[in-house]
């Protein structure tokens, strides 16, 4: 039904190691790596925004294959510069595609790529679309307060562009699950202070509890003991993914790259695909799982 034609990524220009951040906060050497498993982050420069990073990712995609015949652009971001219109329209304006294209944006976080992929799949399955461009982009570092030392080491800034299109021999959606926990939105959200400046507020322990208590059991219920799976989870960090690896059955191979890229929010899964699988379309059973902002969880299983 669908294939993943190409994925590109554009990261924040400033590469930041742990040593400089530990020096800034007055921490002992090795603290960040031992706590989070993250060794470096990519931080956007002042003139880099969610829009500019997204356009850079799409431009990289254009260099690899033609995308002027796409039917739809779905964007996901929590940090676009303007409240509206959606990031998708900025891409449409800049790239001047040849025909009318449907555009819309999702204001979602760590589930963003999976949410957008489910919409793209539904559109292609219903023959509404043939080719869909999914663009993720977030610059969380611009909205983390200096004194928030627990959140600052986790996030990178970056954008991804993924072309998904119809293929009669492609992946079929085998199973899915999505859920949100009521009254948990304050665990990871954008707030405003007394000066009306926006900042990200995050409760790490509660998100860990959500991932292990809600996401992990839901994924276990999706899978079959008789098949092998390749698992592409949101790159939330060491505590979550190490727990997943220990508690999931051996027929699931889990992919990880948070150590070298940090948490890229909605872009973490497509970035993970690029760096862990030369050709995603050769695999048989794939699990994509996003979880976080909401608190929400979306997982899809595709099968050939």
């Amino acid at each position: 039904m669908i294939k993943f034609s190409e994925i590109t990524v554009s990261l924040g220009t400033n590469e930041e190691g742990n040593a400089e951040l530990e020096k800034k906060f007055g921490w002992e050497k090795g603290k960040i790596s031992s706590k989070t498993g993250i060794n470096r982050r990519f931080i956007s420069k002042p003139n880099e925004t969610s829009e500019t990073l997204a356009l850079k990712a799409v431009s990289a995609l254009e260099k690899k294959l033609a995308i002027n015949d796409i039917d739809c652009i779905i964007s996901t971001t929590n940090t676009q510069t303007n409240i509206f219109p959606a990031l998708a329209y900025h891409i449409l304006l800049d790239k001047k595609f040849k025909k009318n294209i449907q555009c819309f944006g999702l204001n979602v976080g760590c589930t963003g790529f999976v949410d957008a992929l489910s919409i793209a799949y539904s559109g292609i399955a219903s023959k509404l679309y043939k080719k869909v461009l999914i663009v993720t982009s977030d610059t969380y570092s611009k909205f983390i307060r200096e004194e928030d030392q627990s959140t600052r080491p986790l996030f990178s800034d970056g954008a991804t562009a993924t072309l998904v299109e119809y293929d009669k021999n492609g992946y079929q959606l085998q199973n899915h699950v999505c859920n949100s926990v009521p009254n948990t939105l304050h665990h990871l959200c954008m707030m405003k202070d007394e000066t009306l400046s926006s900042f990200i507020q995050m409760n790490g322990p509660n998100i860990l509890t959500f991932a292990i208590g809600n996401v992990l059991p839901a994924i276990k219920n999706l899978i079959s003991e008789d098949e092998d799976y390749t698992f592409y989870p949101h790159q939330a960090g060491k505590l979550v993914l190490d727990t997943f690896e220990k508690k999931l059955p051996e027929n699931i191979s889990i992919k990880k790259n948070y150590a070298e890229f940090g948490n890229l929010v909605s872009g973490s899964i497509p970035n993970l695909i690029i760096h862990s699988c030369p050709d995603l379309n050769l695999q048989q059973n794939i699990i994509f799982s996003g979880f976080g902002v909401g608190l929400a969880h979306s997982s899809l299983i595709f099968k050939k």
Side-chain angles (χ1 to χ4, degrees):
M1 180 66 72
I2 66 166
K3 69 175 181 179
F4 299 85
S5 299
E6 189 62 68
I7 304 174
T8 53
V9 63
S10 170
L11 300 172
T13 297
N14 296 327
E15 184 178 332
E16 178 186 78
N18 286 345
E20 54 197 286
L21 203 55
E22 288 166 346
K23 181 179 180 180
K24 176 181 178 179
F25 291 149
W27 292 342
E28 62 184 24
K29 183 179 179 181
K31 179 177 180 178
I32 294 176
S33 180
S34 65
K35 292 286 186 181
T36 69
I38 296 169
N39 297 323
R40 65 174 179 174
R41 288 144 297 280
F42 293 85
I43 306 300
S44 55
K45 297 190 297 185
N47 65 337
E48 289 178 321
T49 65
S50 294
E51 290 82 1
T52 63
L53 290 175
L55 288 169
K56 190 174 179 180
V58 175
S59 294
L61 192 69
E62 282 185 304
K63 292 178 181 178
K64 295 188 174 187
L65 75 174
I67 61 172
N68 57 4
D69 59 343
I70 60 174
D71 307 298
C72 178
I73 304 172
I74 306 173
S75 62
T76 77
T77 181
N78 287 149
T79 59
Q80 70 177 54
T81 305
N82 300 315
I83 296 176
F84 66 87
L87 177 62
Y89 291 94
H90 289 270
I91 296 164
L92 181 66
L93 174 67
D94 185 84
K95 296 303 174 183
K96 299 180 175 61
F97 295 103
K98 290 183 178 180
K99 66 173 185 178
N100 294 330
I101 297 171
Q102 183 172 12
C103 294
F104 55 93
L106 306 177
N107 182 11
V108 288
C110 308
T111 62
F113 176 74
V114 182
D115 292 335
L117 183 57
S118 67
I119 296 170
Y121 182 87
S122 297
I124 292 171
S126 65
K127 299 183 180 180
L128 184 62
Y129 313 127
K130 289 184 178 180
K131 292 185 179 182
V132 179
L133 176 62
I134 298 173
V135 180
T136 75
S137 189
D138 277 295
T139 53
Y140 267 36
S141 74
K142 296 182 184 298
F143 302 94
I144 298 174
R145 292 177 294 182
E146 285 293 322
E147 64 269 25
D148 189 356
Q149 297 181 8
S150 62
T151 305
R152 178 62 176 78
L154 301 177
F155 291 99
S156 281
D157 300 331
T160 67
T162 304
L163 184 65
V164 180
E165 61 183 299
Y166 172 78
D167 184 339
K168 66 178 181 179
N169 298 316
Y171 288 105
Q172 301 276 349
L173 182 62
Q174 183 184 40
N175 212 338
H176 76 283
V177 63
C178 57
N179 52 55
S180 301
V181 180
N183 303 318
T184 59
L185 63 88
H186 56 284
H187 295 326
L188 180 50
C189 62
M190 185 86 79
M191 306 285 288
K192 287 187 181 293
D193 61 20
E194 61 278 2
T195 68
L196 299 182
S197 296
S198 298
F199 69 94
I200 290 171
Q201 175 177 280
M202 177 177 171
N203 187 316
N206 284 342
I207 294 173
L208 175 63
T209 299
F210 167 70
I212 295 172
N214 294 75
V215 178
L216 185 59
I219 293 172
K220 285 183 176 180
N221 288 334
L222 286 180
I223 62 174
S224 167
E225 296 180 357
D226 301 324
E227 297 185 283
D228 294 328
Y229 300 87
T230 305
F231 181 28
Y232 294 89
H234 167 58
Q235 297 297 287
K238 177 180 174 65
L239 287 175
V240 172
L241 296 184
D242 280 1
T243 302
F244 279 17
E245 196 164 35
K246 290 175 184 177
K247 293 185 176 294
L248 286 170
E250 293 183 356
N251 60 325
I252 295 181
S253 172
I254 183 171
K255 299 294 185 180
K256 298 183 286 186
N257 72 349
Y258 60 83
E260 296 305 314
F261 294 96
N263 184 333
L264 281 162
V265 196
S266 59
S268 72
I269 294 175
N271 182 64
L272 176 63
I273 295 169
I274 293 172
H275 292 95
S276 62
C277 182
D279 191 347
L280 180 68
N281 297 292
L282 295 179
Q283 299 183 33
Q284 294 300 310
N285 299 308
I286 304 171
I287 306 172
F288 297 119
S289 181
F291 47 90
V293 176
L295 295 176
H297 161 224
S298 296
S299 288
L300 304 174
I301 294 185
F302 288 100
K303 180 181 176 66
K304 273 199 172 181

